[in-house]
Amino acid sequence: MASTKPSIERLPTGVPGFDKLIQGGIPRGFFVAVVGEPGTGKTIFSIHFIAEGIRQGDKNIYVTTEETRESIIKQAAMFGFDFEKAIDDGKLVIIDALMGRHDDPWSLTELDVETLVNKIIEAKRYLGYGRARLVIDSMSAFWLDKPAMARRYSYYVKRILARWDFTALLTSQYAVTTSLGFGFGIEHVADGIIRFRKAVVRGELRRYVIIEKMRQTEHSLRMHEIEIRDGVGMRVKAPTQLRKEDTALPQSVAAKMLAAELQKLLEVPLGDEE
């Protein structure tokens, strides 16, 4: 008797051309690392993910650490997504972790992972029961002064929030010089890794995406070029002929920079691990 594969519920990202690379969407309950250098499209990808959640009737929470709530709302509007209405309708909570307003119930006054998790749970209770989408943009802000704690913090966030029916995107900044992750944390606990890149090709800035990992998924192994347009947003174009090495530093240079980053981690006092 032929065996049948268990059905996997997948959440579409809302990015044209992307979902076909991951068999229709991100498996429900996954925590996915969205990584890359500044300016590669991580926030716009996350906005699409939340906008699609609003369209599908999911509960949606967006945590912003490097931009204000107003900035996220304006960016979404540029691509035709009305986040302000979704907030008024009780379909979306944007937690502002940048401004730290004490008079704002959806604001973080300090960048602490326990405070973050408690606020996200509070937002989920406010939105009510049901399938939920979460974006934390970015996780890097929570370990800027303690890079050696990145993995522990990432594990804590996933362990607690996985009980609340979240499918989550956790963005992480990569260094411009090395294209390396800061803290080496999220990737180790993530169910999937979506990596964004950029390169100047014949004098023109181009952006790319590659799925480096997605459990329970036969995902594309090719790097694809992406396009970002006002009024439209992000879309995935054809596979590129460029190799990963074509958009990275020479291996010898990257190795030296990686060694320097690791040395910084080793120099963190042991007391910071407590």
Side-chain angles (χ1 to χ4, degrees):
M1 201 173 165
S3 61
T4 58
K5 292 183 179 179
S7 168
I8 297 175
E9 182 180 355
R10 296 181 182 273
L11 278 65
T13 64
V15 176
F18 184 84
D19 293 333
K20 68 180 182 181
L21 307 181
I22 52 171
Q23 290 189 290
I26 296 171
R28 181 172 180 171
F30 270 29
F31 277 60
V32 175
V34 178
V35 302
E37 304 95 323
T40 50
K42 301 184 299 299
T43 294
I44 296 173
F45 182 82
S46 299
I47 286 173
H48 271 277
F49 179 72
I50 292 296
E52 181 64 16
I54 294 168
R55 193 183 72 82
Q56 298 220 356
D58 295 338
K59 314 301 179 182
N60 303 277
I61 300 171
Y62 195 116
V63 180
T64 175
T65 68
E66 298 173 359
E67 301 183 51
T68 64
R69 178 185 297 116
E70 291 73 20
S71 175
I72 296 298
I73 292 171
K74 287 179 181 177
Q75 283 191 67
M78 289 174 59
F79 307 127
F81 306 135
D82 193 344
F83 277 14
E84 200 155 24
K85 183 177 186 301
I87 292 171
D88 293 340
D89 292 345
K91 298 178 180 179
L92 169 65
V93 169
I94 300 179
I95 298 173
D96 190 331
L98 177 67
M99 300 307 291
R101 301 187 184 102
H102 290 274
D103 60 343
D104 182 350
W106 301 122
S107 181
L108 291 185
T109 56
E110 55 182 319
L111 288 175
D112 171 78
V113 289
E114 188 172 346
T115 303
L116 167 72
V117 166
N118 290 338
K119 185 62 70 173
I120 290 171
I121 292 172
E122 181 185 345
K124 179 60 167 63
R125 286 177 171 148
Y126 165 79
L127 291 170
Y129 177 80
R131 193 176 76 173
R133 297 184 184 219
L134 169 67
V135 167
I136 304 178
D137 183 20
S138 72
M139 281 293 294
S140 305
F142 291 91
W143 55 67
L144 284 174
D145 59 341
K146 293 183 178 180
M149 297 293 287
R151 190 183 301 193
R152 182 179 296 184
Y153 286 166
S154 299
Y155 176 74
Y156 175 80
V157 168
K158 181 181 179 181
R159 180 170 58 86
I160 301 299
L161 294 181
R163 308 169 189 170
W164 290 83
D165 196 15
F166 282 115
T167 302
L169 301 184
L170 311 179
T171 77
S172 179
Q173 295 285 8
Y174 272 28
V176 177
T177 51
T178 62
S179 298
L180 297 172
F182 181 66
F184 314 98
I186 293 179
E187 294 90 337
H188 293 283
V189 304
D191 302 297
I193 302 173
I194 300 170
R195 179 163 183 173
F196 287 89
R197 289 180 162 270
K198 61 184 177 181
V200 176
V201 181
R202 292 186 291 276
E204 179 183 4
L205 177 65
R206 295 187 183 179
R207 298 181 177 92
Y208 307 91
V209 65
I210 186 168
I211 297 99
E212 295 190 346
K213 170 185 174 183
M214 192 66 67
R215 290 174 179 154
Q216 303 172 22
T217 303
E218 293 181 9
H219 62 83
S220 170
L221 302 177
R222 297 286 303 277
M223 185 160 62
H224 286 69
E225 187 172 357
I226 61 174
E227 180 180 58
I228 300 171
R229 294 170 54 196
D230 285 351
V232 178
M234 178 182 291
R235 75 177 183 94
V236 175
K237 300 169 70 175
T240 176
Q241 298 301 315
L242 292 178
R243 303 164 301 162
K244 181 177 178 180
E245 293 80 4
D246 295 327
T247 61
L249 291 170
Q251 187 174 2
S252 59
V253 176
K256 290 179 181 177
M257 291 182 172
L258 175 58
E261 291 294 329
L262 292 174
Q263 183 61 36
K264 289 179 185 177
L265 296 182
L266 294 173
E267 290 171 357
V268 174
L270 292 178
D272 282 354
E273 287 284 351
E274 298 301 325

